[in-house]
Amino acid sequence: MCTKTEKENDDNATAGVTKSAHGPNVLVANHPLLQSKLAVLRSSSTSPSTFRKVLTELTYLLGYEASASLQTKLVGVSVQSADGGDIVETSGVKLIDRVALIPIMRSGLGMTEAMLHLLPNAGVHHIGMYKDTASSRPIQYYNRLPRQCKADWVFILDPVIATSASVMSVIGIMKKVREE
């Protein structure tokens, strides 16, 4: 799940990702690789070690898709020429958007390491939620979110999305943080 600033609300869709009826900032990933890995995660016969491995792989794929609209700037890069001789100057890109990762504890922690491999400069902030059995509403039990959100992008990490109540609750909290 990711949130975008208004300037990044575009109509570009990448392969395997479709716009959602849930709003302009929700993308539904339906790529066959994602779907097959999701089936492994859902299976009751999946061992814990296989679950962790496949969750990491799935997170790389989702992170790749979710970060497609991050802003970049051109930078100079020195590279060795194709013949192995001189060093030549060329250009490359550098990410300029500030990113925050928010794993919902505990399940979201399994996605954090893979996202940090993709976005090593991202800030990591934690929140703990559980579902109240009587009301089925999410209850916050731990909060290490920033008092002010200085990130351009926030990726909420949670592989367990049944009713989406926990994710929606965290989005509501982050909207309040952004307004302050």
Side-chain angles (χ1 to χ4, degrees):
M1 178 63 132
C2 62
T3 59
K4 299 183 198 179
T5 59
E6 292 301 316
K7 67 179 177 158
E8 293 157 325
N9 254 346
D10 58 25
D11 292 326
N12 296 334
T14 57
V17 177
T18 58
K19 290 289 183 180
S20 169
H22 303 292
N25 291 338
V26 177
L27 300 177
V28 178
N30 57 13
H31 192 282
L33 287 175
L34 293 170
Q35 296 300 317
S36 68
K37 291 186 184 305
L38 189 58
V40 172
L41 293 182
R42 288 180 166 168
S43 174
S44 60
S45 65
T46 300
S47 70
S49 62
T50 300
F51 184 92
R52 286 188 295 273
K53 179 180 176 281
V54 172
L55 180 60
T56 297
E57 294 168 357
L58 185 71
T59 303
Y60 283 132
L61 296 170
L62 288 172
Y64 173 81
E65 291 292 349
S67 61
S69 295
L70 292 177
Q71 299 295 309
T72 60
K73 72 173 181 177
L74 284 174
V75 294
V77 179
S78 300
V79 298
Q80 194 164 16
S81 64
D83 62 6
D86 296 337
I87 301 293
V88 295
E89 293 297 316
T90 187
S91 61
V93 296
K94 177 180 178 178
L95 293 175
I96 57 172
D97 280 336
R98 296 167 298 178
V99 175
L101 305 176
I102 302 177
I104 298 178
M105 295 175 17
R106 291 182 339 203
S107 59
L109 294 174
M111 301 175 81
T112 307
E113 190 69 26
M115 286 298 289
L116 283 171
H117 284 174
L118 296 174
L119 300 163
N121 295 322
V124 180
H125 311 287
H126 298 87
I127 190 161
M129 307 286 276
Y130 71 90
K131 182 171 75 173
D132 178 56
T133 54
S135 68
S136 294
R137 294 173 49 130
I139 305 294
Q140 177 182 302
Y141 69 88
Y142 184 83
N143 185 334
R144 287 295 180 254
L145 298 178
R147 294 196 188 277
Q148 285 188 316
C149 182
K150 296 183 179 175
D152 300 307
W153 283 77
V154 172
F155 294 95
I156 300 170
L157 309 178
D158 186 8
V160 183
I161 300 177
T163 64
S164 75
S166 294
V167 170
M168 296 307 294
S169 179
V170 174
I171 290 171
I173 292 167
M174 290 310 298
K175 283 183 175 181
K176 289 178 186 172
V177 167
R178 248 184 130 83
E179 292 170 0
E180 292 177 1

